[in-house]
Amino acid sequence: MTYKVVKEFFVTGRLHKGVSSTAVTLIPKVQNPSQVKDYRPIACCTTLYKIITKVLTARLKAVIGDLIGRSQSAFIEGHSITDNILFTHELFKGYNRKGISPRCVLKVDLKKAYDTVEWCFLERLFKDMGFPYKFIGWVMECISSVTYSLNINGGLTIPFKGKRGIRQGYPMTPYLFVLAMEYLKREFMQMMKRKDFKFHPRCKKLGVVHVCFADDLLMFCKADIQSVRLLKQTFQKFSKASGLQANAEKSVVYIAEVSNWHREEILQELSFPEGGLNVMNLLVWNKAAIAKHLWAVAKKKDSLWIKWLHVYYIKNHSIEDMPTPRNATWVVRKIVESRKMINELQGIQGNLESRLIQLQRGELFSIKKLYRLQYPHYQKSSMAHIHPRYKFILWLALHSRLATVDRLLKFGIQVPQQCIFCGLAIETFDHLFFECSLTKALWNRLLRWLRYHRPIYDWQHEVEWVSKNAKRRNGLAAITTCVFGMLVNAIWRERNKQRFQGGRLLSNNICKEIAIHIHMKGTSIHDWKEALLSLNSYP
């Protein structure tokens, strides 16, 4: 019977409905799933379907090595994924050094990669690569004749037809995806012929601009706006044809050795956040480790070395007032000089001794706590529901990259210095968020609308409060995070509008805009519905 069904397919080119039916089992990705995206769909194909696709896969494997370039390392016999890993390590070498040539890398995560490939795109791709029409017919019949039934509560739902995508769990899927990504390589080959495209250092000789790790993609070029724009446009052309889109929440760009102005120009063009290299900032960590010794000296720990410092250098002074001893070793001088860093640190208050106590966890000094205050770490999950246009401005604000007056003055750019909203102080980042009486009142108004009654502190405190609140993972917490992101964007937008076009801050309009957006977005988010019932008026 099995032989007869398989032979009939290869003769007629048609699959029986029963053979192509697929049961989809939803595997939870989180502990308490509440949305469709919280599940991973696994397609369970019939045995006959797997036999047929294994025959087709064996034929495809025989030629795919000649069609796929070396930039792809997954699923292809003779290609090893470790080759691309080693290549990437070489590529990133020196990104933290000074004096290197400008360069950047885009790490793109493809959103729902297997599920979004367009069938018509695959068919055109097979034809362009010269596959026999009969073989193309067999493959497309296997892809497009599929029907799905969801396995819910131990039973199967009524079957429904698919419109696009290739099933995870059947033998040919990885090879079809690799072929789809080969189209991107051919588009890049056309892009490389343009004179205004500049290669990433040490990549021009081999003509390399990207490597693939299954559904993760690295693209690289010189860090100039035109080259970055060409990379983006080429990828967008590929996305439009194939259906494969970048996941903005998981994609980042790494940039080295460019001015702050050019860095922000590139970030604005891509709308991706800038990533670290997933490594600790050793300079910041080292400063925090030195401060631990300052804490030990201030606490007069029972140590021979610390007692010796008090006897010969500190004497009758306090650690806060003593001059830096010129005849001491460089280690002692560095420890004493770390007082300046502690006193200028945002997020803690008081004199030096009080600030050092606030950096303790229990009875011990926490290097990690000090490191986080200097080098904040914000969870991506807290921004999950923020629209990308608000998220980008919020990201700039979180990394102190908005072009406020104090920052422009550092670049030598002279502009009117007074706060455009209150006119009572020089516009610094901290004044704009939320020392200014008008922006503070606006945030307070939105908080009361959200049923929070709390005092408002400086930017660092507010960000920490919003981040901590976001961890509750309930509807109101998510709405609060979204409101905060929209407010930061609105303050920055209105600041620019008034500074360059005139006018005044219209708090009512901003509050209405945020409230309407929250309610419209909440219609599609199940977790928000209960919280929105209590937010049935304008702030």
Side-chain angles (χ1 to χ4, degrees):
M1 178 64 180
T2 300
Y3 171 78
K4 183 179 178 181
V5 172
V6 173
K7 183 179 179 182
E8 183 182 343
F9 167 76
F10 285 107
V11 172
T12 64
R14 292 287 177 267
L15 277 174
H16 290 289
K17 286 184 179 180
V19 175
S20 61
S21 61
T22 302
V24 177
T25 300
L26 302 176
I27 307 297
K29 294 193 285 186
V30 296
Q31 190 170 3
N32 297 306
S34 60
Q35 301 179 58
V36 173
K37 69 177 184 179
D38 294 335
Y39 293 90
R40 178 177 288 108
I42 301 298
C44 303
C45 310
T46 63
T47 303
L48 289 170
Y49 185 87
K50 285 191 174 183
I51 292 171
I52 290 169
T53 53
K54 276 190 175 183
V55 173
L56 292 173
T57 302
R59 294 192 179 189
L60 188 57
K61 283 175 68 175
V63 298
I64 200 167
D66 298 325
L67 298 171
I68 303 303
R70 286 285 166 183
S71 59
Q72 297 199 70
S73 56
F75 311 122
I76 308 301
E77 191 173 342
H79 294 205
S80 172
I81 199 166
T82 56
D83 294 342
N84 279 2
I85 293 171
L86 293 171
F87 171 76
T88 303
H89 272 275
E90 283 296 310
L91 202 68
F92 276 119
K93 185 176 67 178
Y95 256 63
N96 291 326
R97 296 179 188 167
K98 292 184 177 180
I100 60 174
S101 55
R103 58 193 70 185
C104 75
V105 173
L106 282 69
K107 177 186 172 294
V108 177
D109 179 87
L110 296 174
K111 187 190 299 183
K112 302 288 183 185
Y114 289 171
D115 300 331
T116 57
V117 180
E118 296 288 349
W119 294 342
C120 57
F121 168 75
L122 286 174
E123 187 171 11
R124 290 197 306 270
L125 198 60
F126 273 111
K127 290 177 180 176
D128 291 344
M129 289 185 170
F131 282 89
Y133 279 87
K134 181 172 280 191
F135 182 81
I136 296 171
W138 290 335
V139 172
M140 294 312 300
E141 177 68 13
C142 288
I143 294 172
S144 60
S145 65
V146 62
T147 59
Y148 296 99
S149 297
L150 300 180
N151 187 355
I152 298 177
N153 297 330
L156 295 176
T157 63
I158 298 172
F160 58 92
K161 285 191 66 67
K163 294 287 183 71
R164 62 175 182 175
I166 45 181
R167 278 166 285 187
Q168 296 189 48
Y170 93 104
M172 203 185 301
T173 295
Y175 300 98
L176 295 177
F177 185 76
V178 165
L179 284 172
M181 295 304 295
E182 184 63 16
Y183 174 79
L184 179 62
K185 177 210 165 188
R186 300 185 181 198
E187 287 296 322
F188 278 141
M189 289 176 67
Q190 296 300 314
M191 179 199 70
M192 286 186 278
K193 295 176 182 178
R194 295 189 53 156
K195 293 182 179 179
D196 49 352
F197 177 78
K198 305 293 188 241
F199 283 89
H200 188 285
R202 301 172 71 186
C203 289
K204 187 174 182 178
K205 286 184 180 180
L206 294 176
V208 184
V209 294
H210 82 297
V211 290
C212 296
F213 300 87
D215 59 348
D216 286 316
L217 174 67
L218 287 183
M219 302 184 287
F220 27 88
C221 64
K222 184 178 179 181
D224 68 78
I225 190 64
Q226 183 58 27
S227 298
V228 170
R229 187 172 288 138
L230 284 171
L231 267 185
K232 176 186 172 182
Q233 289 171 352
T234 305
F235 179 77
Q236 286 177 336
K237 182 180 177 183
F238 163 75
S239 293
K240 188 175 180 180
S242 66
L244 294 167
Q245 304 287 331
N247 187 340
E249 291 182 7
K250 296 182 180 179
S251 300
V252 293
V253 56
Y254 307 100
I255 307 171
E257 205 59 26
V258 296
S259 67
N260 288 330
W261 184 265
H262 285 100
R263 185 184 300 272
E264 288 176 17
E265 188 180 23
I266 291 170
L267 293 172
Q268 187 79 45
E269 174 69 28
L270 294 170
S271 296
F272 288 169
E274 184 178 7
L277 296 180
N278 247 355
V279 294
M280 183 182 293
N281 187 317
L282 293 178
L283 179 63
V284 175
W285 184 268
N286 188 50
K287 287 180 179 179
I290 290 173
K292 182 177 181 180
H293 294 293
L294 179 69
W295 169 81
V297 172
K299 297 281 281 186
K300 297 184 180 180
K301 288 287 182 181
D302 188 17
S303 157
L304 176 63
W305 176 74
I306 290 174
K307 287 182 177 179
W308 191 88
L309 282 180
H310 277 276
V311 170
Y312 288 100
Y313 289 127
I314 302 174
K315 299 179 180 178
N316 295 324
H317 297 282
S318 70
I319 188 68
E320 187 162 13
D321 301 328
M322 67 168 285
T324 303
R326 294 183 179 179
N327 59 338
T329 61
W330 70 271
V331 175
V332 173
R333 292 199 303 272
K334 285 291 182 185
I335 292 171
V336 176
E337 288 167 1
S338 67
R339 294 176 301 183
K340 183 180 179 182
M341 174 191 68
I342 300 297
N343 283 324
E344 292 177 352
L345 200 62
Q346 294 183 356
I348 55 176
Q349 297 175 341
N351 59 21
L352 180 67
E353 187 175 351
S354 173
R355 285 168 171 260
L356 288 169
I357 290 172
Q358 290 173 63
L359 292 170
Q360 294 180 190
R361 288 201 187 279
E363 294 298 316
L364 300 175
F365 183 87
S366 173
I367 296 176
K368 185 176 181 180
K369 187 174 182 179
L370 176 54
Y371 176 82
R372 287 298 180 211
L373 283 172
Q374 296 179 88
Y375 206 73
H377 175 73
Y378 305 105
Q379 295 187 355
K380 285 187 177 181
S381 59
S382 65
M383 296 190 189
H385 295 300
I386 302 178
H387 191 282
R389 71 172 177 268
Y390 307 133
K391 189 183 294 184
F392 179 66
I393 296 299
L394 178 59
W395 182 88
L396 290 177
L398 290 172
H399 291 79
S400 301
R401 291 207 174 148
L402 292 177
T404 48
V405 168
D406 55 330
R407 195 153 189 258
L408 291 173
L409 291 174
K410 289 180 183 178
F411 297 147
I413 301 172
Q414 298 299 320
V415 293
Q417 297 183 16
Q418 291 301 108
C419 172
I420 202 70
F421 294 137
C422 68
L424 300 176
I426 294 175
E427 182 195 277
T428 63
F429 180 87
D430 288 329
H431 176 78
L432 194 61
F433 307 99
F434 293 95
E435 291 174 5
C436 174
S437 58
L438 294 183
T439 59
K440 186 174 185 177
L442 189 55
W443 178 221
N444 186 54
R445 184 172 170 179
L446 288 165
L447 283 175
R448 282 189 283 109
W449 178 62
L450 293 165
R451 306 297 186 265
Y452 294 108
H453 298 280
R454 54 176 292 275
I456 294 174
Y457 299 101
D458 58 20
W459 167 259
Q460 189 66 37
H461 273 95
E462 295 309 297
V463 169
E464 288 177 2
W465 179 81
V466 171
S467 298
K468 186 177 180 180
N469 191 54
K471 293 178 182 178
R472 296 179 183 177
R473 295 188 178 278
N474 57 41
L476 185 59
I479 290 171
T480 304
T481 306
C482 194
V483 167
F484 183 73
M486 290 191 69
L487 174 64
V488 171
N489 177 78
I491 290 173
W492 185 243
R493 182 192 67 205
E494 291 301 311
R495 175 264 189 195
N496 292 333
K497 185 178 178 181
Q498 290 186 47
R499 188 168 281 275
F500 300 113
Q501 299 176 18
R504 60 190 180 87
L505 183 66
L506 300 174
S507 298
N508 288 340
N509 290 357
I510 291 174
C511 289
K512 285 184 179 180
E513 174 194 338
I514 291 174
I516 291 170
H517 176 87
I518 291 296
H519 275 275
M520 289 180 65
K521 189 173 185 66
T523 58
S524 60
I525 303 175
H526 177 74
D527 290 350
W528 288 21
K529 291 181 180 179
E530 185 178 345
L532 287 174
L533 293 175
S534 63
L535 306 176
N536 56 359
S537 61
Y538 288 126

